Amino acid sequence: MAQGDDGKKDPKGSAGGPATGAAPTPGSAQAPIEATVVSQYIKDLSFENPNIRHLVEGPGEDPSLNLEINVNGQRIGPELYESAINLKAHATNKNGVIYDLELVYGGLFKIKNLPEQAAEPFLLINCPALLFPFLRRIAADITREGGYPPLLLDPMDFGSLYVARQRDMAERESKSQLKN
């Protein structure tokens, strides 16, 4: 044991300074955010394969693929939040539509010590980053089972997606204020 400035033994081992692990004082450091995945699930799934008979006749030209990914988050209850990724994949070639895939993959998260101002970024960046590998696997499996090579999605930077979303919202808001 170390001795404090008053000569008495200090059980914490410090010499007169604050004890490590002391409870935070009001206005000091926030307790760390604790997040637990409660559930993951397919919220909505649609795969349309409208022209398979034309496409079986020959491989045709390389497809044109249009991808759209959006994320949403909401509070469900006290310390319970939902985050969901909405994927739309539309593949076409000169013969028409190859396939249409729409998939919403969600998760329920129990999140403790989440400051209100951190909720939106946490639900739109951190939670989708945890869910995305599972959505990616489902998209690959569904397209493969539809008779096509698997759709292998590249990793997503949900932080950049969030920043772009915030920028777009700010631009729309400033344009609407200029009109008024």
Side-chain angles (χ1 to χ4, degrees), residues 77-141:
E79 297 183 345
L80 189 63
Y81 299 84
E82 179 187 51
S83 182
I85 306 171
N86 186 342
L87 167 71
K88 293 181 182 181
H90 182 74
T92 60
N93 69 10
K94 68 179 181 178
N95 295 329
V97 175
I98 298 173
Y99 65 78
D100 272 321
L101 169 64
E102 293 183 16
L103 171 61
V104 180
Y105 192 78
L108 285 179
F109 297 86
K110 184 173 185 172
I111 307 173
K112 296 180 180 181
N113 306 320
L114 183 63
E116 193 62 38
Q117 70 273 16
E120 183 181 63
F122 197 86
L123 293 173
L124 300 182
I125 299 171
N126 299 70
C127 294
L130 293 171
L131 297 173
F132 187 75
F134 300 94
L135 173 135
R136 184 178 190 267
R137 182 191 53 82
I138 293 167
D141 289 349

Short mmCIF file of all heavy atoms in Angstrom, two decimals, residues 77-141:
data_model
loop_
_atom_site.label_atom_id
_atom_site.label_comp_id
_atom_site.label_asym_id
_atom_site.label_seq_id
_atom_site.Cartn_x
_atom_site.Cartn_y
_atom_site.Cartn_z
N GLY A 77 -38.69 0.87 -28.05
CA GLY A 77 -39.06 0.95 -26.65
C GLY A 77 -37.88 1.45 -25.85
O GLY A 77 -36.86 1.84 -26.41
N PRO A 78 -38.00 1.44 -24.53
CA PRO A 78 -36.88 1.87 -23.71
C PRO A 78 -35.65 0.97 -23.96
O PRO A 78 -35.76 -0.25 -23.83
CB PRO A 78 -37.37 1.72 -22.27
CG PRO A 78 -38.84 1.52 -22.37
CD PRO A 78 -39.15 1.02 -23.74
N GLU A 79 -34.59 1.55 -24.38
CA GLU A 79 -33.32 0.86 -24.66
C GLU A 79 -33.43 -0.17 -25.78
O GLU A 79 -32.54 -0.98 -25.98
CB GLU A 79 -32.74 0.21 -23.40
CG GLU A 79 -32.39 1.18 -22.31
CD GLU A 79 -31.76 0.51 -21.10
OE1 GLU A 79 -31.84 -0.73 -20.96
OE2 GLU A 79 -31.19 1.25 -20.29
N LEU A 80 -34.53 -0.17 -26.57
CA LEU A 80 -34.71 -1.11 -27.66
C LEU A 80 -34.88 -0.35 -28.96
O LEU A 80 -35.75 0.52 -29.07
CB LEU A 80 -35.92 -2.02 -27.40
CG LEU A 80 -36.09 -3.18 -28.36
CD1 LEU A 80 -34.92 -4.15 -28.27
CD2 LEU A 80 -37.39 -3.92 -28.08
N TYR A 81 -34.04 -0.67 -29.94
CA TYR A 81 -34.01 0.05 -31.21
C TYR A 81 -34.02 -0.95 -32.35
O TYR A 81 -33.52 -2.07 -32.23
CB TYR A 81 -32.75 0.90 -31.31
CG TYR A 81 -32.63 1.95 -30.25
CD1 TYR A 81 -32.11 1.65 -29.00
CD2 TYR A 81 -33.04 3.26 -30.50
CE1 TYR A 81 -32.00 2.62 -28.02
CE2 TYR A 81 -32.92 4.24 -29.52
CZ TYR A 81 -32.40 3.90 -28.29
OH TYR A 81 -32.29 4.87 -27.31
N GLU A 82 -34.57 -0.50 -33.50
CA GLU A 82 -34.51 -1.30 -34.71
C GLU A 82 -33.69 -0.55 -35.74
O GLU A 82 -33.81 0.66 -35.90
CB GLU A 82 -35.91 -1.55 -35.29
CG GLU A 82 -35.86 -2.37 -36.57
CD GLU A 82 -37.20 -2.50 -37.26
OE1 GLU A 82 -37.86 -1.46 -37.48
OE2 GLU A 82 -37.58 -3.63 -37.59
N SER A 83 -32.84 -1.28 -36.44
CA SER A 83 -32.08 -0.75 -37.56
C SER A 83 -32.33 -1.70 -38.73
O SER A 83 -32.39 -2.92 -38.54
CB SER A 83 -30.59 -0.69 -37.23
OG SER A 83 -29.86 -0.13 -38.29
N ALA A 84 -32.52 -1.15 -39.93
CA ALA A 84 -32.80 -1.98 -41.09
C ALA A 84 -32.07 -1.46 -42.32
O ALA A 84 -31.92 -0.25 -42.50
CB ALA A 84 -34.30 -2.03 -41.36
N ILE A 85 -31.63 -2.39 -43.15
CA ILE A 85 -31.00 -2.07 -44.43
C ILE A 85 -31.95 -2.48 -45.52
O ILE A 85 -32.44 -3.62 -45.55
CB ILE A 85 -29.66 -2.82 -44.61
CG1 ILE A 85 -28.73 -2.57 -43.44
CG2 ILE A 85 -29.01 -2.41 -45.93
CD1 ILE A 85 -27.49 -3.45 -43.45
N ASN A 86 -32.22 -1.57 -46.45
CA ASN A 86 -33.11 -1.82 -47.58
C ASN A 86 -32.26 -1.91 -48.83
O ASN A 86 -31.63 -0.93 -49.23
CB ASN A 86 -34.14 -0.69 -47.68
CG ASN A 86 -35.17 -0.94 -48.74
OD1 ASN A 86 -35.01 -1.77 -49.62
ND2 ASN A 86 -36.26 -0.19 -48.66
N LEU A 87 -32.21 -3.08 -49.45
CA LEU A 87 -31.43 -3.31 -50.67
C LEU A 87 -32.38 -3.54 -51.84
O LEU A 87 -33.32 -4.33 -51.73
CB LEU A 87 -30.53 -4.55 -50.50
CG LEU A 87 -29.90 -5.10 -51.78
CD1 LEU A 87 -28.82 -4.16 -52.29
CD2 LEU A 87 -29.34 -6.49 -51.55
N LYS A 88 -32.11 -2.85 -52.94
CA LYS A 88 -32.82 -3.09 -54.19
C LYS A 88 -31.76 -3.33 -55.27
O LYS A 88 -30.86 -2.52 -55.43
CB LYS A 88 -33.70 -1.91 -54.58
CG LYS A 88 -34.87 -1.69 -53.64
CD LYS A 88 -35.73 -0.54 -54.07
CE LYS A 88 -36.86 -0.34 -53.06
NZ LYS A 88 -37.75 0.75 -53.45
N ALA A 89 -31.88 -4.45 -55.97
CA ALA A 89 -30.97 -4.79 -57.06
C ALA A 89 -31.82 -5.09 -58.29
O ALA A 89 -32.67 -5.98 -58.26
CB ALA A 89 -30.10 -5.98 -56.69
N HIS A 90 -31.57 -4.35 -59.35
CA HIS A 90 -32.34 -4.48 -60.59
C HIS A 90 -31.35 -4.78 -61.71
O HIS A 90 -30.52 -3.92 -62.06
CB HIS A 90 -33.11 -3.18 -60.86
CG HIS A 90 -33.98 -3.19 -62.06
ND1 HIS A 90 -35.16 -3.88 -62.09
CD2 HIS A 90 -33.83 -2.61 -63.27
CE1 HIS A 90 -35.73 -3.70 -63.28
NE2 HIS A 90 -34.93 -2.93 -64.02
N ALA A 91 -31.39 -6.00 -62.25
CA ALA A 91 -30.47 -6.42 -63.32
C ALA A 91 -31.23 -6.52 -64.63
O ALA A 91 -32.29 -7.15 -64.69
CB ALA A 91 -29.82 -7.75 -62.97
N THR A 92 -30.68 -5.90 -65.67
CA THR A 92 -31.30 -5.93 -67.00
C THR A 92 -30.22 -6.18 -68.06
O THR A 92 -29.03 -5.99 -67.82
CB THR A 92 -32.01 -4.60 -67.33
OG1 THR A 92 -31.05 -3.54 -67.30
CG2 THR A 92 -33.13 -4.30 -66.36
N ASN A 93 -30.66 -6.58 -69.25
CA ASN A 93 -29.83 -6.59 -70.45
C ASN A 93 -30.75 -6.31 -71.64
O ASN A 93 -31.91 -5.95 -71.45
CB ASN A 93 -29.02 -7.88 -70.58
CG ASN A 93 -29.86 -9.11 -70.87
OD1 ASN A 93 -31.05 -9.01 -71.16
ND2 ASN A 93 -29.25 -10.28 -70.80
N LYS A 94 -30.24 -6.50 -72.86
CA LYS A 94 -31.05 -6.15 -74.03
C LYS A 94 -32.32 -6.99 -74.14
O LYS A 94 -33.27 -6.60 -74.80
CB LYS A 94 -30.23 -6.26 -75.31
CG LYS A 94 -29.83 -7.66 -75.66
CD LYS A 94 -29.03 -7.72 -76.94
CE LYS A 94 -28.69 -9.18 -77.23
NZ LYS A 94 -27.97 -9.32 -78.46
N ASN A 95 -32.34 -8.17 -73.49
CA ASN A 95 -33.53 -9.02 -73.51
C ASN A 95 -34.58 -8.60 -72.49
O ASN A 95 -35.65 -9.18 -72.44
CB ASN A 95 -33.14 -10.48 -73.27
CG ASN A 95 -32.29 -11.03 -74.38
OD1 ASN A 95 -32.42 -10.64 -75.53
ND2 ASN A 95 -31.38 -11.93 -74.04
N GLY A 96 -34.26 -7.64 -71.65
CA GLY A 96 -35.21 -7.17 -70.65
C GLY A 96 -34.70 -7.35 -69.24
O GLY A 96 -33.49 -7.43 -68.99
N VAL A 97 -35.63 -7.47 -68.33
CA VAL A 97 -35.29 -7.63 -66.91
C VAL A 97 -34.73 -9.03 -66.67
O VAL A 97 -35.33 -10.02 -67.08
CB VAL A 97 -36.54 -7.39 -66.02
CG1 VAL A 97 -36.22 -7.68 -64.56
CG2 VAL A 97 -37.05 -5.97 -66.18
N ILE A 98 -33.59 -9.08 -66.04
CA ILE A 98 -33.02 -10.37 -65.65
C ILE A 98 -33.61 -10.77 -64.30
O ILE A 98 -34.19 -11.84 -64.15
CB ILE A 98 -31.49 -10.30 -65.58
CG1 ILE A 98 -30.92 -9.95 -66.96
CG2 ILE A 98 -30.91 -11.61 -65.05
CD1 ILE A 98 -29.43 -9.68 -66.97
N TYR A 99 -33.44 -9.89 -63.32
CA TYR A 99 -34.06 -10.13 -62.03
C TYR A 99 -34.24 -8.83 -61.27
O TYR A 99 -33.56 -7.84 -61.54
CB TYR A 99 -33.31 -11.16 -61.17
CG TYR A 99 -31.92 -10.75 -60.72
CD1 TYR A 99 -31.73 -9.86 -59.66
CD2 TYR A 99 -30.80 -11.27 -61.35
CE1 TYR A 99 -30.45 -9.51 -59.25
CE2 TYR A 99 -29.53 -10.93 -60.94
CZ TYR A 99 -29.35 -10.05 -59.89
OH TYR A 99 -28.10 -9.70 -59.49
N ASP A 100 -35.18 -8.85 -60.35
CA ASP A 100 -35.41 -7.77 -59.39
C ASP A 100 -35.34 -8.39 -58.00
O ASP A 100 -36.07 -9.33 -57.70
CB ASP A 100 -36.81 -7.15 -59.57
CG ASP A 100 -36.83 -6.03 -60.57
OD1 ASP A 100 -35.87 -5.24 -60.59
OD2 ASP A 100 -37.81 -5.94 -61.33
N LEU A 101 -34.46 -7.84 -57.17
CA LEU A 101 -34.32 -8.31 -55.80
C LEU A 101 -34.59 -7.14 -54.88
O LEU A 101 -33.99 -6.08 -55.05
CB LEU A 101 -32.91 -8.87 -55.55
CG LEU A 101 -32.52 -9.17 -54.11
CD1 LEU A 101 -33.40 -10.28 -53.53
CD2 LEU A 101 -31.05 -9.53 -54.01
N GLU A 102 -35.50 -7.34 -53.96
CA GLU A 102 -35.74 -6.35 -52.91
C GLU A 102 -35.65 -7.08 -51.58
O GLU A 102 -36.33 -8.08 -51.38
CB GLU A 102 -37.12 -5.70 -53.07
CG GLU A 102 -37.23 -4.85 -54.31
CD GLU A 102 -38.56 -4.14 -54.45
OE1 GLU A 102 -39.30 -4.05 -53.44
OE2 GLU A 102 -38.86 -3.69 -55.56
N LEU A 103 -34.79 -6.57 -50.71
CA LEU A 103 -34.54 -7.22 -49.43
C LEU A 103 -34.41 -6.16 -48.35
O LEU A 103 -33.67 -5.20 -48.51
CB LEU A 103 -33.25 -8.04 -49.52
CG LEU A 103 -32.66 -8.63 -48.24
CD1 LEU A 103 -33.63 -9.60 -47.58
CD2 LEU A 103 -31.34 -9.33 -48.57
N VAL A 104 -35.19 -6.32 -47.29
CA VAL A 104 -35.04 -5.48 -46.10
C VAL A 104 -34.61 -6.41 -44.99
O VAL A 104 -35.33 -7.35 -44.64
CB VAL A 104 -36.36 -4.75 -45.73
CG1 VAL A 104 -36.14 -3.90 -44.48
CG2 VAL A 104 -36.84 -3.90 -46.89
N TYR A 105 -33.41 -6.16 -44.47
CA TYR A 105 -32.85 -6.99 -43.40
C TYR A 105 -32.71 -6.11 -42.17
O TYR A 105 -32.11 -5.05 -42.23
CB TYR A 105 -31.50 -7.57 -43.82
CG TYR A 105 -31.03 -8.65 -42.88
CD1 TYR A 105 -31.56 -9.93 -42.94
CD2 TYR A 105 -30.07 -8.39 -41.92
CE1 TYR A 105 -31.14 -10.93 -42.07
CE2 TYR A 105 -29.64 -9.39 -41.05
CZ TYR A 105 -30.18 -10.65 -41.13
OH TYR A 105 -29.77 -11.63 -40.27
N GLY A 106 -33.30 -6.56 -41.07
CA GLY A 106 -33.32 -5.73 -39.87
C GLY A 106 -32.74 -6.42 -38.67
O GLY A 106 -32.48 -7.62 -38.67
N GLY A 107 -32.55 -5.61 -37.65
CA GLY A 107 -32.08 -6.13 -36.38
C GLY A 107 -32.65 -5.32 -35.24
O GLY A 107 -32.89 -4.12 -35.38
N LEU A 108 -32.90 -5.99 -34.14
CA LEU A 108 -33.29 -5.33 -32.90
C LEU A 108 -32.07 -5.28 -32.01
O LEU A 108 -31.36 -6.28 -31.85
CB LEU A 108 -34.41 -6.09 -32.19
CG LEU A 108 -35.80 -5.97 -32.79
CD1 LEU A 108 -36.79 -6.79 -31.97
CD2 LEU A 108 -36.25 -4.52 -32.86
N PHE A 109 -31.83 -4.11 -31.43
CA PHE A 109 -30.67 -3.89 -30.60
C PHE A 109 -31.09 -3.33 -29.25
O PHE A 109 -31.89 -2.39 -29.20
CB PHE A 109 -29.72 -2.89 -31.27
CG PHE A 109 -29.17 -3.38 -32.57
CD1 PHE A 109 -29.88 -3.20 -33.76
CD2 PHE A 109 -27.95 -4.03 -32.63
CE1 PHE A 109 -29.38 -3.66 -34.96
CE2 PHE A 109 -27.44 -4.48 -33.82
CZ PHE A 109 -28.15 -4.30 -35.00
N LYS A 110 -30.55 -3.90 -28.19
CA LYS A 110 -30.73 -3.33 -26.87
C LYS A 110 -29.49 -2.46 -26.64
O LYS A 110 -28.36 -2.96 -26.65
CB LYS A 110 -30.83 -4.41 -25.79
CG LYS A 110 -31.10 -3.83 -24.43
CD LYS A 110 -31.37 -4.92 -23.41
CE LYS A 110 -31.75 -4.25 -22.09
NZ LYS A 110 -32.20 -5.24 -21.13
N ILE A 111 -29.73 -1.17 -26.48
CA ILE A 111 -28.63 -0.23 -26.37
C ILE A 111 -28.79 0.57 -25.09
O ILE A 111 -29.79 1.26 -24.90
CB ILE A 111 -28.56 0.73 -27.59
CG1 ILE A 111 -28.55 -0.09 -28.88
CG2 ILE A 111 -27.33 1.62 -27.49
CD1 ILE A 111 -28.65 0.74 -30.14
N LYS A 112 -27.79 0.46 -24.22
CA LYS A 112 -27.79 1.19 -22.95
C LYS A 112 -26.81 2.36 -23.04
O LYS A 112 -25.81 2.29 -23.75
CB LYS A 112 -27.36 0.27 -21.81
CG LYS A 112 -28.32 -0.87 -21.55
CD LYS A 112 -27.81 -1.72 -20.40
CE LYS A 112 -28.76 -2.88 -20.12
NZ LYS A 112 -28.29 -3.70 -19.01
N ASN A 113 -27.13 3.41 -22.29
CA ASN A 113 -26.27 4.60 -22.18
C ASN A 113 -26.07 5.31 -23.51
O ASN A 113 -25.00 5.84 -23.77
CB ASN A 113 -24.91 4.22 -21.58
CG ASN A 113 -25.02 3.48 -20.28
OD1 ASN A 113 -25.86 3.81 -19.44
ND2 ASN A 113 -24.21 2.47 -20.10
N LEU A 114 -27.08 5.29 -24.35
CA LEU A 114 -27.00 5.94 -25.66
C LEU A 114 -27.51 7.37 -25.55
O LEU A 114 -28.71 7.58 -25.37
CB LEU A 114 -27.81 5.17 -26.70
CG LEU A 114 -27.75 5.68 -28.14
CD1 LEU A 114 -26.34 5.58 -28.69
CD2 LEU A 114 -28.70 4.88 -29.02
N PRO A 115 -26.62 8.36 -25.64
CA PRO A 115 -27.09 9.75 -25.60
C PRO A 115 -28.01 10.03 -26.79
O PRO A 115 -27.81 9.49 -27.88
CB PRO A 115 -25.80 10.57 -25.72
CG PRO A 115 -24.69 9.63 -25.42
CD PRO A 115 -25.18 8.26 -25.78
N GLU A 116 -29.01 10.87 -26.58
CA GLU A 116 -30.00 11.15 -27.61
C GLU A 116 -29.35 11.62 -28.91
O GLU A 116 -29.74 11.21 -30.00
CB GLU A 116 -31.01 12.19 -27.10
CG GLU A 116 -32.23 12.32 -27.97
CD GLU A 116 -33.06 11.04 -28.06
OE1 GLU A 116 -33.20 10.33 -27.07
OE2 GLU A 116 -33.58 10.75 -29.16
N GLN A 117 -28.32 12.48 -28.81
CA GLN A 117 -27.68 13.03 -30.00
C GLN A 117 -26.86 11.96 -30.74
O GLN A 117 -26.53 12.14 -31.91
CB GLN A 117 -26.81 14.24 -29.67
CG GLN A 117 -25.55 13.93 -28.89
CD GLN A 117 -25.75 13.89 -27.38
OE1 GLN A 117 -26.87 13.82 -26.89
NE2 GLN A 117 -24.66 13.92 -26.64
N ALA A 118 -26.56 10.84 -30.10
CA ALA A 118 -25.79 9.77 -30.74
C ALA A 118 -26.68 8.68 -31.33
O ALA A 118 -26.19 7.79 -32.01
CB ALA A 118 -24.81 9.16 -29.74
N ALA A 119 -27.97 8.74 -31.07
CA ALA A 119 -28.87 7.66 -31.49
C ALA A 119 -28.91 7.52 -33.01
O ALA A 119 -28.74 6.41 -33.54
CB ALA A 119 -30.27 7.89 -30.94
N GLU A 120 -29.14 8.61 -33.73
CA GLU A 120 -29.25 8.51 -35.19
C GLU A 120 -27.98 7.97 -35.83
O GLU A 120 -28.04 7.00 -36.59
CB GLU A 120 -29.64 9.85 -35.79
CG GLU A 120 -29.83 9.76 -37.30
CD GLU A 120 -30.19 11.08 -37.92
OE1 GLU A 120 -29.37 12.02 -37.85
OE2 GLU A 120 -31.30 11.17 -38.48
N PRO A 121 -26.80 8.54 -35.55
CA PRO A 121 -25.60 7.98 -36.17
C PRO A 121 -25.34 6.52 -35.77
O PRO A 121 -24.92 5.71 -36.59
CB PRO A 121 -24.45 8.87 -35.71
CG PRO A 121 -25.04 9.99 -34.96
CD PRO A 121 -26.50 9.75 -34.79
N PHE A 122 -25.63 6.17 -34.53
CA PHE A 122 -25.41 4.80 -34.09
C PHE A 122 -26.30 3.83 -34.85
O PHE A 122 -25.86 2.78 -35.30
CB PHE A 122 -25.64 4.68 -32.58
CG PHE A 122 -25.06 3.44 -31.98
CD1 PHE A 122 -23.74 3.42 -31.56
CD2 PHE A 122 -25.81 2.28 -31.85
CE1 PHE A 122 -23.18 2.27 -31.01
CE2 PHE A 122 -25.27 1.13 -31.30
CZ PHE A 122 -23.95 1.12 -30.88
N LEU A 123 -27.58 4.21 -35.02
CA LEU A 123 -28.54 3.33 -35.71
C LEU A 123 -28.31 3.27 -37.22
O LEU A 123 -28.70 2.30 -37.86
CB LEU A 123 -29.97 3.80 -35.44
CG LEU A 123 -30.45 3.64 -34.00
CD1 LEU A 123 -31.81 4.30 -33.83
CD2 LEU A 123 -30.49 2.18 -33.59
N LEU A 124 -27.70 4.31 -37.79
CA LEU A 124 -27.52 4.36 -39.24
C LEU A 124 -26.10 4.02 -39.68
O LEU A 124 -25.85 3.92 -40.89
CB LEU A 124 -27.93 5.73 -39.77
CG LEU A 124 -29.38 6.14 -39.51
CD1 LEU A 124 -29.68 7.49 -40.12
CD2 LEU A 124 -30.37 5.09 -39.99
N ILE A 125 -25.17 3.88 -38.73
CA ILE A 125 -23.79 3.53 -39.08
C ILE A 125 -23.39 2.22 -38.40
O ILE A 125 -23.09 1.23 -39.07
CB ILE A 125 -22.80 4.65 -38.69
CG1 ILE A 125 -23.13 5.95 -39.44
CG2 ILE A 125 -21.37 4.22 -38.97
CD1 ILE A 125 -22.35 7.17 -38.95
N ASN A 126 -23.38 2.21 -37.08
CA ASN A 126 -22.87 1.05 -36.34
C ASN A 126 -23.74 -0.19 -36.51
O ASN A 126 -23.22 -1.28 -36.77
CB ASN A 126 -22.73 1.39 -34.85
CG ASN A 126 -21.78 2.52 -34.62
OD1 ASN A 126 -22.08 3.67 -34.95
ND2 ASN A 126 -20.62 2.24 -34.05
N CYS A 127 -25.04 -0.04 -36.34
CA CYS A 127 -25.93 -1.20 -36.42
C CYS A 127 -25.95 -1.80 -37.83
O CYS A 127 -25.82 -3.03 -37.98
CB CYS A 127 -27.34 -0.83 -35.95
SG CYS A 127 -27.39 -0.41 -34.19
N PRO A 128 -26.08 -0.99 -38.90
CA PRO A 128 -26.03 -1.59 -40.24
C PRO A 128 -24.70 -2.29 -40.54
O PRO A 128 -24.67 -3.28 -41.26
CB PRO A 128 -26.25 -0.41 -41.19
CG PRO A 128 -26.99 0.59 -40.37
CD PRO A 128 -26.46 0.43 -38.97
N ALA A 129 -23.61 -1.77 -39.98
CA ALA A 129 -22.32 -2.43 -40.19
C ALA A 129 -22.32 -3.85 -39.61
O ALA A 129 -21.69 -4.75 -40.17
CB ALA A 129 -21.20 -1.60 -39.57
N LEU A 130 -23.05 -4.05 -38.53
CA LEU A 130 -23.17 -5.39 -37.95
C LEU A 130 -24.09 -6.28 -38.78
O LEU A 130 -23.88 -7.49 -38.88
CB LEU A 130 -23.71 -5.30 -36.52
CG LEU A 130 -22.79 -4.65 -35.50
CD1 LEU A 130 -23.54 -4.45 -34.17
CD2 LEU A 130 -21.53 -5.46 -35.28
N LEU A 131 -25.13 -5.70 -39.38
CA LEU A 131 -26.12 -6.47 -40.13
C LEU A 131 -25.69 -6.79 -41.57
O LEU A 131 -26.11 -7.80 -42.14
CB LEU A 131 -27.44 -5.69 -40.19
CG LEU A 131 -28.15 -5.42 -38.87
CD1 LEU A 131 -29.33 -4.48 -39.09
CD2 LEU A 131 -28.58 -6.71 -38.21
N PHE A 132 -24.86 -5.94 -42.15
CA PHE A 132 -24.56 -6.04 -43.58
C PHE A 132 -24.00 -7.40 -44.03
O PHE A 132 -24.41 -7.90 -45.08
CB PHE A 132 -23.62 -4.91 -44.02
CG PHE A 132 -23.41 -4.88 -45.51
CD1 PHE A 132 -24.40 -4.41 -46.35
CD2 PHE A 132 -22.24 -5.37 -46.06
CE1 PHE A 132 -24.22 -4.40 -47.73
CE2 PHE A 132 -22.05 -5.36 -47.43
CZ PHE A 132 -23.03 -4.87 -48.27
N PRO A 133 -23.07 -8.01 -43.30
CA PRO A 133 -22.58 -9.31 -43.79
C PRO A 133 -23.68 -10.36 -43.96
O PRO A 133 -23.61 -11.20 -44.86
CB PRO A 133 -21.58 -9.74 -42.70
CG PRO A 133 -21.16 -8.46 -42.06
CD PRO A 133 -22.37 -7.56 -42.11
N PHE A 134 -24.70 -10.29 -43.14
CA PHE A 134 -25.81 -11.24 -43.23
C PHE A 134 -26.69 -10.93 -44.45
O PHE A 134 -27.11 -11.83 -45.17
CB PHE A 134 -26.62 -11.25 -41.94
CG PHE A 134 -25.78 -11.63 -40.76
CD1 PHE A 134 -25.17 -10.67 -39.97
CD2 PHE A 134 -25.56 -12.97 -40.46
CE1 PHE A 134 -24.38 -11.02 -38.90
CE2 PHE A 134 -24.76 -13.34 -39.39
CZ PHE A 134 -24.16 -12.36 -38.60
N LEU A 135 -26.96 -9.65 -44.69
CA LEU A 135 -27.70 -9.23 -45.88
C LEU A 135 -26.94 -9.64 -47.13
O LEU A 135 -27.52 -10.14 -48.09
CB LEU A 135 -27.93 -7.72 -45.85
CG LEU A 135 -28.55 -7.13 -47.11
CD1 LEU A 135 -29.65 -6.15 -46.75
CD2 LEU A 135 -27.52 -6.46 -47.97
N ARG A 136 -25.64 -9.43 -47.11
CA ARG A 136 -24.78 -9.77 -48.27
C ARG A 136 -24.89 -11.26 -48.60
O ARG A 136 -25.01 -11.64 -49.75
CB ARG A 136 -23.34 -9.39 -47.93
CG ARG A 136 -22.36 -9.59 -49.06
CD ARG A 136 -20.96 -9.12 -48.62
NE ARG A 136 -20.06 -9.09 -49.74
CZ ARG A 136 -19.27 -10.11 -50.08
NH1 ARG A 136 -19.27 -11.22 -49.37
NH2 ARG A 136 -18.47 -10.02 -51.12
N ARG A 137 -24.85 -12.10 -47.58
CA ARG A 137 -24.94 -13.54 -47.81
C ARG A 137 -26.30 -13.93 -48.38
O ARG A 137 -26.40 -14.73 -49.31
CB ARG A 137 -24.69 -14.31 -46.51
CG ARG A 137 -24.73 -15.84 -46.70
CD ARG A 137 -24.75 -16.60 -45.40
NE ARG A 137 -25.80 -16.18 -44.48
CZ ARG A 137 -27.06 -16.59 -44.55
NH1 ARG A 137 -27.46 -17.40 -45.50
NH2 ARG A 137 -27.94 -16.16 -43.67
N ILE A 138 -27.37 -13.34 -47.85
CA ILE A 138 -28.73 -13.65 -48.33
C ILE A 138 -28.87 -13.23 -49.79
O ILE A 138 -29.41 -13.98 -50.61
CB ILE A 138 -29.79 -12.97 -47.44
CG1 ILE A 138 -29.78 -13.60 -46.05
CG2 ILE A 138 -31.18 -13.07 -48.08
CD1 ILE A 138 -30.56 -12.81 -45.01
N ALA A 139 -28.37 -12.03 -50.15
CA ALA A 139 -28.46 -11.56 -51.54
C ALA A 139 -27.71 -12.52 -52.47
O ALA A 139 -28.20 -12.84 -53.56
CB ALA A 139 -27.91 -10.15 -51.65
N ALA A 140 -26.55 -12.97 -52.06
CA ALA A 140 -25.78 -13.91 -52.89
C ALA A 140 -26.52 -15.24 -53.03
O ALA A 140 -26.60 -15.80 -54.14
CB ALA A 140 -24.39 -14.13 -52.27
N ASP A 141 -27.07 -15.74 -51.95
CA ASP A 141 -27.79 -17.03 -51.99
C ASP A 141 -29.04 -16.95 -52.86
O ASP A 141 -29.32 -17.85 -53.65
CB ASP A 141 -28.18 -17.47 -50.58
CG ASP A 141 -27.00 -17.93 -49.74
OD1 ASP A 141 -25.89 -18.10 -50.30
OD2 ASP A 141 -27.18 -18.10 -48.51
#
